[in-house]
Amino acid sequence: MNAEFINPFIKGLLNVMETMAQTTLKPGRPQRKSNEVAKGDVSGLIGMIGPETKGSLSITFDESLALTIMERMVGERPAKLDADVGDMVGEVTNMIAGSAKRDLADVGYDFGMATPVVVSGKDHTISHQVDGPKIILPFMCDEGSAHMEICFDK
Amino acid sequence: MNAEFINPFIKGLLNVMETMAQTTLKPGRPQRKSNEVAKGDVSGLIGMIGPETKGSLSITFDESLALTIMERMVGERPAKLDADVGDMVGEVTNMIAGSAKRDLADVGYDFGMATPVVVSGKDHTISHQVDGPKIILPFMCDEGSAHMEICFDK
Protein backbone atom coordinates (compact mmCIF):
# COMPACT_ATOMS: atom_id res chain seq x y z
CA MET A 1 0.00 0.00 0.00
CA ASN A 2 1.63 3.21 -1.13
CA ALA A 3 1.24 6.91 -0.42
CA GLU A 4 -0.95 7.37 -3.49
CA PHE A 5 -3.50 5.19 -1.74
CA ILE A 6 -3.17 6.58 1.79
CA ASN A 7 -3.01 10.30 1.03
CA PRO A 8 -6.65 10.65 -0.11
CA PHE A 9 -7.80 9.37 3.31
CA ILE A 10 -5.49 11.79 5.15
CA LYS A 11 -6.70 14.66 2.94
CA GLY A 12 -10.30 13.59 3.61
CA LEU A 13 -9.85 13.63 7.39
CA LEU A 14 -8.01 16.97 7.45
CA ASN A 15 -10.58 18.61 5.15
CA VAL A 16 -13.60 17.28 7.06
CA MET A 17 -12.15 18.50 10.37
CA GLU A 18 -11.31 21.95 8.94
CA THR A 19 -14.63 22.38 7.19
CA MET A 20 -17.02 20.95 9.76
CA ALA A 21 -15.27 21.85 12.99
CA GLN A 22 -12.62 24.49 12.23
CA THR A 23 -10.10 22.11 13.70
CA THR A 24 -6.60 21.72 12.30
CA LEU A 25 -5.15 18.29 12.96
CA LYS A 26 -1.40 17.74 12.72
CA PRO A 27 -0.49 14.37 11.16
CA GLY A 28 2.11 12.35 13.05
CA ARG A 29 4.40 9.71 11.62
CA PRO A 30 2.53 6.86 9.87
CA GLN A 31 3.31 3.45 11.32
CA ARG A 32 3.00 -0.05 10.03
CA LYS A 33 0.97 -1.37 12.87
CA SER A 34 2.41 -4.37 14.60
CA ASN A 35 2.13 -4.00 18.33
CA GLU A 36 0.86 -0.47 17.97
CA VAL A 37 -2.83 -0.34 18.84
CA ALA A 38 -5.25 2.51 18.29
CA LYS A 39 -6.93 3.13 21.62
CA GLY A 40 -9.67 5.67 22.10
CA ASP A 41 -13.14 6.41 23.39
CA VAL A 42 -15.28 6.66 20.26
CA SER A 43 -14.55 5.16 16.83
CA GLY A 44 -16.13 5.11 13.42
CA LEU A 45 -15.56 2.05 11.23
CA ILE A 46 -16.46 1.42 7.62
CA GLY A 47 -15.95 -1.55 5.31
CA MET A 48 -14.69 -1.10 1.75
CA ILE A 49 -14.96 -3.55 -1.14
CA GLY A 50 -13.25 -3.14 -4.49
CA PRO A 51 -13.11 -5.47 -7.49
CA GLU A 52 -9.68 -6.76 -6.47
CA THR A 53 -9.44 -6.17 -2.77
CA LYS A 54 -11.39 -5.41 0.38
CA GLY A 55 -10.58 -3.67 3.61
CA SER A 56 -11.65 -1.44 6.43
CA LEU A 57 -11.14 2.09 7.68
CA SER A 58 -11.34 3.25 11.27
CA ILE A 59 -11.05 6.63 12.88
CA THR A 60 -10.70 6.70 16.67
CA PHE A 61 -11.04 9.84 18.77
CA ASP A 62 -10.26 10.42 22.40
CA GLU A 63 -13.16 11.84 24.38
CA SER A 64 -11.72 15.34 24.67
CA LEU A 65 -11.27 15.78 20.91
CA ALA A 66 -14.67 14.25 20.08
CA LEU A 67 -16.41 16.63 22.49
CA THR A 68 -14.49 19.62 21.09
CA ILE A 69 -15.44 18.72 17.51
CA MET A 70 -19.08 18.44 18.56
CA GLU A 71 -18.91 21.75 20.43
CA ARG A 72 -17.51 23.51 17.35
CA MET A 73 -20.14 21.98 15.10
CA VAL A 74 -23.24 22.63 17.19
CA GLY A 75 -22.15 25.43 19.54
CA GLU A 76 -22.50 23.52 22.78
CA ARG A 77 -20.17 21.03 24.44
CA PRO A 78 -21.91 17.74 25.31
CA ALA A 79 -21.41 16.55 28.88
CA LYS A 80 -20.35 13.11 27.64
CA LEU A 81 -20.07 10.85 24.60
CA ASP A 82 -23.78 10.60 23.84
CA ALA A 83 -25.70 9.36 20.80
CA ASP A 84 -25.30 12.72 19.01
CA VAL A 85 -21.52 12.47 19.27
CA GLY A 86 -21.77 8.93 17.90
CA ASP A 87 -23.83 10.14 14.95
CA MET A 88 -21.25 12.85 14.26
CA VAL A 89 -18.41 10.31 14.31
CA GLY A 90 -20.37 8.05 11.94
CA GLU A 91 -20.96 10.96 9.59
CA VAL A 92 -17.30 12.01 9.69
CA THR A 93 -16.25 8.41 8.92
CA ASN A 94 -18.62 8.32 5.96
CA MET A 95 -17.33 11.66 4.66
CA ILE A 96 -13.66 10.64 4.93
CA ALA A 97 -14.28 7.38 3.06
CA GLY A 98 -16.47 9.16 0.50
CA SER A 99 -13.84 11.80 -0.16
CA ALA A 100 -11.10 9.18 -0.59
CA LYS A 101 -13.40 7.09 -2.79
CA ARG A 102 -13.89 10.02 -5.19
CA ASP A 103 -10.17 10.86 -5.30
CA LEU A 104 -9.16 7.24 -5.83
CA ALA A 105 -11.79 6.73 -8.54
CA ASP A 106 -10.13 9.62 -10.41
CA VAL A 107 -6.89 7.63 -10.56
CA GLY A 108 -8.53 4.34 -11.44
CA TYR A 109 -9.14 2.66 -8.07
CA ASP A 110 -12.80 1.93 -7.45
CA PHE A 111 -14.33 0.65 -4.26
CA GLY A 112 -17.76 0.48 -2.67
CA MET A 113 -18.46 1.59 0.88
CA ALA A 114 -20.55 -0.25 3.47
CA THR A 115 -22.47 1.68 6.13
CA PRO A 116 -20.50 3.10 9.06
CA VAL A 117 -20.60 1.59 12.54
CA VAL A 118 -19.77 3.60 15.66
CA VAL A 119 -18.23 2.09 18.78
CA SER A 120 -18.30 3.89 22.13
CA GLY A 121 -16.46 2.80 25.24
CA LYS A 122 -13.60 4.14 27.33
CA ASP A 123 -10.20 2.99 26.04
CA HIS A 124 -11.45 0.44 23.55
CA THR A 125 -9.06 -0.98 20.98
CA ILE A 126 -9.59 -1.77 17.31
CA SER A 127 -8.07 -4.68 15.44
CA HIS A 128 -8.48 -4.86 11.67
CA GLN A 129 -8.49 -8.46 10.51
CA VAL A 130 -6.73 -8.28 7.16
CA ASP A 131 -3.95 -10.23 5.51
CA GLY A 132 -2.24 -7.14 4.16
CA PRO A 133 -0.35 -4.33 5.89
CA LYS A 134 -2.05 -2.24 8.54
CA ILE A 135 -1.26 1.45 8.44
CA ILE A 136 -1.91 3.50 11.56
CA LEU A 137 -1.86 7.28 11.29
CA PRO A 138 -1.78 9.43 14.43
CA PHE A 139 -3.21 12.97 14.42
CA MET A 140 -2.83 15.55 17.12
CA CYS A 141 -4.08 18.97 18.09
CA ASP A 142 -4.28 20.94 21.32
CA GLU A 143 -7.70 19.51 22.09
CA GLY A 144 -6.78 15.82 21.88
CA SER A 145 -5.76 13.11 19.48
CA ALA A 146 -7.16 10.78 16.86
CA HIS A 147 -5.92 7.67 15.07
CA MET A 148 -6.90 6.63 11.59
CA GLU A 149 -6.27 3.12 10.31
CA ILE A 150 -6.54 1.98 6.74
CA CYS A 151 -6.21 -1.75 6.05
CA PHE A 152 -6.60 -3.82 2.92
CA ASP A 153 -6.32 -7.51 2.26
CA LYS A 154 -3.44 -7.04 -0.16
CA MET B 1 -36.16 -6.70 6.37
CA ASN B 2 -37.93 -10.02 6.75
CA ALA B 3 -37.21 -13.38 8.35
CA GLU B 4 -35.98 -14.79 5.05
CA PHE B 5 -33.14 -12.32 5.28
CA ILE B 6 -32.37 -12.63 9.00
CA ASN B 7 -32.59 -16.40 9.41
CA PRO B 8 -29.41 -17.23 7.44
CA PHE B 9 -27.40 -15.07 9.86
CA ILE B 10 -28.98 -16.78 12.89
CA LYS B 11 -28.33 -20.19 11.35
CA GLY B 12 -24.73 -19.13 10.63
CA LEU B 13 -24.08 -18.07 14.23
CA LEU B 14 -25.68 -21.18 15.76
CA ASN B 15 -23.79 -23.50 13.39
CA VAL B 16 -20.43 -21.83 13.89
CA MET B 17 -20.82 -21.99 17.69
CA GLU B 18 -21.88 -25.65 17.59
CA THR B 19 -19.18 -26.70 15.16
CA MET B 20 -16.22 -24.71 16.43
CA ALA B 21 -16.94 -24.58 20.15
CA GLN B 22 -19.57 -27.23 20.95
CA THR B 23 -21.68 -24.41 22.35
CA THR B 24 -25.44 -24.29 21.96
CA LEU B 25 -26.78 -20.75 21.99
CA LYS B 26 -30.45 -20.12 22.68
CA PRO B 27 -31.93 -17.33 20.58
CA GLY B 28 -33.98 -14.73 22.46
CA ARG B 29 -36.67 -12.51 21.06
CA PRO B 30 -35.51 -10.35 18.10
CA GLN B 31 -36.00 -6.65 18.69
CA ARG B 32 -36.21 -3.67 16.44
CA LYS B 33 -33.49 -1.69 18.07
CA SER B 34 -34.49 1.75 19.22
CA ASN B 35 -33.15 2.44 22.67
CA GLU B 36 -31.90 -1.10 22.96
CA VAL B 37 -28.12 -1.13 22.72
CA ALA B 38 -25.85 -4.14 22.36
CA LYS B 39 -23.27 -3.87 25.09
CA GLY B 40 -20.39 -6.27 25.48
CA ASP B 41 -16.68 -6.76 25.87
CA VAL B 42 -15.51 -7.98 22.48
CA SER B 43 -17.26 -7.49 19.13
CA GLY B 44 -16.72 -8.48 15.54
CA LEU B 45 -18.03 -6.16 12.81
CA ILE B 46 -18.22 -6.60 9.08
CA GLY B 47 -19.50 -4.39 6.26
CA MET B 48 -21.70 -5.78 3.50
CA ILE B 49 -22.37 -4.26 0.08
CA GLY B 50 -24.96 -5.52 -2.40
CA PRO B 51 -26.05 -4.14 -5.73
CA GLU B 52 -29.10 -2.49 -4.18
CA THR B 53 -28.23 -1.99 -0.57
CA LYS B 54 -25.43 -1.91 1.97
CA GLY B 55 -25.22 -2.61 5.63
CA SER B 56 -23.29 -4.00 8.55
CA LEU B 57 -23.26 -7.01 10.84
CA SER B 58 -21.99 -7.10 14.40
CA ILE B 59 -21.67 -9.87 16.92
CA THR B 60 -20.91 -8.84 20.50
CA PHE B 61 -19.86 -11.27 23.24
CA ASP B 62 -19.54 -10.75 26.93
CA GLU B 63 -16.13 -11.68 28.31
CA SER B 64 -17.29 -14.88 29.98
CA LEU B 65 -18.76 -16.35 26.81
CA ALA B 66 -15.81 -15.27 24.63
CA LEU B 67 -13.35 -16.94 27.02
CA THR B 68 -15.46 -20.12 27.15
CA ILE B 69 -15.60 -20.33 23.34
CA MET B 70 -11.84 -19.90 23.19
CA GLU B 71 -11.33 -22.54 25.88
CA ARG B 72 -13.48 -25.02 23.97
CA MET B 73 -11.66 -24.32 20.73
CA VAL B 74 -8.07 -24.48 21.93
CA GLY B 75 -8.33 -26.44 25.18
CA GLU B 76 -7.13 -23.71 27.51
CA ARG B 77 -9.00 -20.75 28.98
CA PRO B 78 -7.22 -17.43 28.34
CA ALA B 79 -6.74 -15.24 31.42
CA LYS B 80 -8.26 -12.27 29.61
CA LEU B 81 -9.51 -10.97 26.26
CA ASP B 82 -6.18 -11.09 24.44
CA ALA B 83 -5.26 -10.85 20.75
CA ASP B 84 -6.01 -14.56 20.20
CA VAL B 85 -9.57 -14.09 21.44
CA GLY B 86 -9.88 -11.10 19.11
CA ASP B 87 -8.70 -13.18 16.16
CA MET B 88 -11.25 -15.87 17.05
CA VAL B 89 -14.06 -13.29 17.17
CA GLY B 90 -12.96 -11.88 13.80
CA GLU B 91 -12.93 -15.36 12.30
CA VAL B 92 -16.36 -16.19 13.75
CA THR B 93 -17.75 -12.93 12.32
CA ASN B 94 -16.32 -13.76 8.91
CA MET B 95 -17.79 -17.27 9.05
CA ILE B 96 -21.28 -16.08 10.04
CA ALA B 97 -21.36 -13.51 7.23
CA GLY B 98 -19.91 -16.03 4.76
CA SER B 99 -22.51 -18.64 5.68
CA ALA B 100 -25.35 -16.13 5.31
CA LYS B 101 -23.86 -14.87 2.04
CA ARG B 102 -23.95 -18.36 0.55
CA ASP B 103 -27.50 -19.05 1.75
CA LEU B 104 -28.79 -15.67 0.51
CA ALA B 105 -27.07 -16.07 -2.86
CA ASP B 106 -29.06 -19.30 -3.27
CA VAL B 107 -32.30 -17.30 -3.05
CA GLY B 108 -31.13 -14.46 -5.26
CA TYR B 109 -29.64 -11.92 -2.82
CA ASP B 110 -26.00 -11.21 -3.52
CA PHE B 111 -23.68 -9.15 -1.41
CA GLY B 112 -19.96 -8.68 -0.98
CA MET B 113 -18.23 -8.76 2.39
CA ALA B 114 -15.57 -6.36 3.63
CA THR B 115 -12.89 -7.53 6.07
CA PRO B 116 -13.88 -7.97 9.72
CA VAL B 117 -12.84 -5.55 12.44
CA VAL B 118 -12.66 -6.55 16.10
CA VAL B 119 -13.31 -4.15 18.97
CA SER B 120 -12.21 -4.93 22.52
CA GLY B 121 -13.13 -2.91 25.59
CA LYS B 122 -15.20 -3.48 28.71
CA ASP B 123 -18.86 -2.61 28.17
CA HIS B 124 -18.50 -0.91 24.80
CA THR B 125 -21.59 -0.19 22.74
CA ILE B 126 -22.16 -0.51 19.00
CA SER B 127 -24.28 1.83 16.90
CA HIS B 128 -24.97 0.90 13.29
CA GLN B 129 -25.45 4.02 11.19
CA VAL B 130 -28.08 2.96 8.68
CA ASP B 131 -31.29 4.49 7.39
CA GLY B 132 -33.19 1.21 7.55
CA PRO B 133 -34.37 -0.89 10.47
CA LYS B 134 -31.90 -2.23 13.00
CA ILE B 135 -32.53 -5.75 14.19
CA ILE B 136 -30.91 -6.86 17.43
CA LEU B 137 -30.89 -10.55 18.29
CA PRO B 138 -29.99 -11.73 21.80
CA PHE B 139 -28.47 -15.19 22.37
CA MET B 140 -27.95 -16.85 25.69
CA CYS B 141 -26.32 -19.91 27.20
CA ASP B 142 -25.10 -20.89 30.65
CA GLU B 143 -21.67 -19.43 29.96
CA GLY B 144 -22.80 -15.94 28.99
CA SER B 145 -24.56 -13.97 26.32
CA ALA B 146 -24.07 -12.55 22.85
CA HIS B 147 -25.91 -10.02 20.69
CA MET B 148 -26.01 -10.06 16.92
CA GLU B 149 -27.14 -7.02 14.94
CA ILE B 150 -27.95 -6.96 11.26
CA CYS B 151 -28.62 -3.58 9.69
CA PHE B 152 -29.22 -2.50 6.10
CA ASP B 153 -29.83 0.87 4.52
CA LYS B 154 -33.27 -0.14 3.28
Side-chain angles (χ1 to χ4, degrees):
Chain A
M1 204 156 33
N2 55 28
E4 182 188 28
F5 209 85
I6 298 299
N7 287 341
F9 290 93
I10 298 176
K11 179 189 144 199
L13 172 60
L14 298 181
N15 279 353
V16 168
M17 288 295 108
E18 285 281 2
T19 311
M20 289 179 64
Q22 303 83 50
T23 298
T24 304
L25 293 181
K26 184 170 165 287
R29 190 185 166 78
Q31 300 184 286
R32 285 224 169 191
K33 187 172 171 179
S34 49
N35 291 323
E36 190 70 19
V37 172
K39 194 178 260 192
D41 306 317
V42 57
S43 295
L45 304 122
I46 197 162
M48 301 176 287
I49 309 179
E52 283 165 28
T53 187
K54 53 190 178 168
S56 49
L57 165 74
S58 67
I59 171 87
T60 299
F61 296 95
D62 65 19
E63 179 170 334
S64 153
L65 180 55
L67 295 179
T68 299
I69 293 166
M70 196 68 185
E71 182 179 5
R72 290 178 181 171
M73 283 174 62
V74 303
E76 198 169 336
R77 191 176 183 89
K80 60 184 177 67
L81 295 177
D82 58 15
D84 291 337
V85 178
D87 289 349
M88 175 277 288
V89 170
E91 184 58 28
V92 163
T93 307
N94 214 28
M95 290 170 76
I96 295 167
S99 168
K101 176 180 159 64
R102 283 189 300 277
D103 285 356
L104 286 168
D106 286 345
V107 292
Y109 297 109
D110 280 302
F111 64 86
M113 289 158 51
T115 44
V117 182
V118 173
V119 176
S120 303
K122 195 73 190 161
D123 278 345
H124 65 259
T125 58
I126 306 279
S127 168
H128 294 258
Q129 307 279 308
V130 294
D131 292 333
K134 307 179 184 186
I135 308 289
I136 182 163
L137 302 157
F139 293 88
M140 287 134 284
C141 66
D142 289 346
E143 291 75 19
S145 65
H147 287 85
M148 184 161 67
E149 274 185 81
I150 306 155
C151 304
F152 280 93
D153 244 358
K154 55 182 169 183
Chain B
M1 202 156 33
N2 55 29
E4 183 189 25
F5 208 85
I6 298 297
N7 287 341
F9 290 93
I10 299 176
K11 179 187 145 200
L13 172 60
L14 298 181
N15 279 355
V16 167
M17 288 296 107
E18 284 281 1
T19 312
M20 287 179 65
Q22 303 84 49
T23 298
T24 304
L25 292 181
K26 184 170 165 287
R29 190 185 167 77
Q31 300 185 286
R32 284 223 173 192
K33 187 173 171 178
S34 48
N35 291 322
E36 189 71 19
V37 172
K39 197 178 257 195
D41 306 317
V42 58
S43 295
L45 305 122
I46 197 161
M48 300 176 288
I49 309 179
E52 283 164 28
T53 187
K54 53 191 178 167
S56 48
L57 164 74
S58 67
I59 171 85
T60 299
F61 297 95
D62 65 18
E63 178 170 334
S64 152
L65 180 54
L67 295 180
T68 298
I69 293 167
M70 197 68 187
E71 181 179 5
R72 290 179 181 171
M73 283 173 63
V74 303
E76 197 169 335
R77 190 175 184 88
K80 60 184 177 66
L81 296 176
D82 57 16
D84 290 338
V85 178
D87 289 349
M88 176 277 288
V89 170
E91 184 58 28
V92 163
T93 308
N94 213 29
M95 290 171 76
I96 295 167
S99 168
K101 176 179 159 65
R102 282 188 301 275
D103 284 356
L104 287 167
D106 286 345
V107 293
Y109 297 110
D110 279 302
F111 65 86
M113 290 157 51
T115 44
V117 181
V118 173
V119 177
S120 303
K122 194 73 190 161
D123 277 346
H124 64 260
T125 58
I126 306 280
S127 168
H128 294 257
Q129 307 278 308
V130 293
D131 293 334
K134 305 179 185 188
I135 309 289
I136 182 164
L137 303 157
F139 294 88
M140 286 134 287
C141 67
D142 289 344
E143 292 75 20
S145 65
H147 287 84
M148 184 162 65
E149 274 185 81
I150 306 156
C151 304
F152 280 93
D153 243 359
K154 54 182 171 187

